[in-house]
Amino acid sequence: MNDELAEAKQLIKTLQGQVHSLQYTKHHDYKFLVEENKRVTQELSEVKADNKKLTEQINDMVAKLRDANF
């Protein structure tokens, strides 16, 4: 009976360690994903702004070519 109790206690310690490790990994991955999402969102905003500027430049060039009867 004492051997079974000792084995059960050891198993509990092992499982608690594994749970703690999984929680840390989950927490770490979650933080990484949040930061990655912020970075990608910022990059998307910059790309959209660049696209608007390029569209304006292209439209200006087309208008100048039309004015020059090209």
Side-chain angles (χ1 to χ4, degrees):
M1 184 75 168
N2 284 339
D3 290 339
E4 289 178 7
L5 184 57
E7 286 179 27
K9 286 182 179 182
Q10 183 60 38
L11 179 59
I12 289 171
K13 283 184 181 182
T14 302
L15 292 174
Q16 285 174 334
Q18 289 175 351
V19 166
H20 179 71
S21 178
L22 290 172
Q23 287 172 340
Y24 171 79
T25 302
K26 180 180 175 185
H27 182 69
H28 178 73
D29 288 345
Y30 178 77
K31 286 172 55 177
F32 169 78
L33 291 173
V34 168
E35 292 301 317
E36 185 69 7
N37 188 38
K38 287 179 185 177
R39 185 190 68 75
V40 170
T41 301
Q42 177 64 30
E43 188 175 332
L44 177 62
S45 297
E46 292 171 3
V47 168
K48 285 181 177 182
D50 287 346
N51 283 348
K52 286 180 182 179
K53 290 177 186 176
L54 288 172
T55 300
E56 290 174 6
Q57 288 177 355
I58 290 170
N59 288 337
D60 288 345
M61 292 175 87
V62 168
K64 287 179 184 177
L65 289 171
R66 286 186 182 143
D67 289 345
N69 291 323
F70 187 66

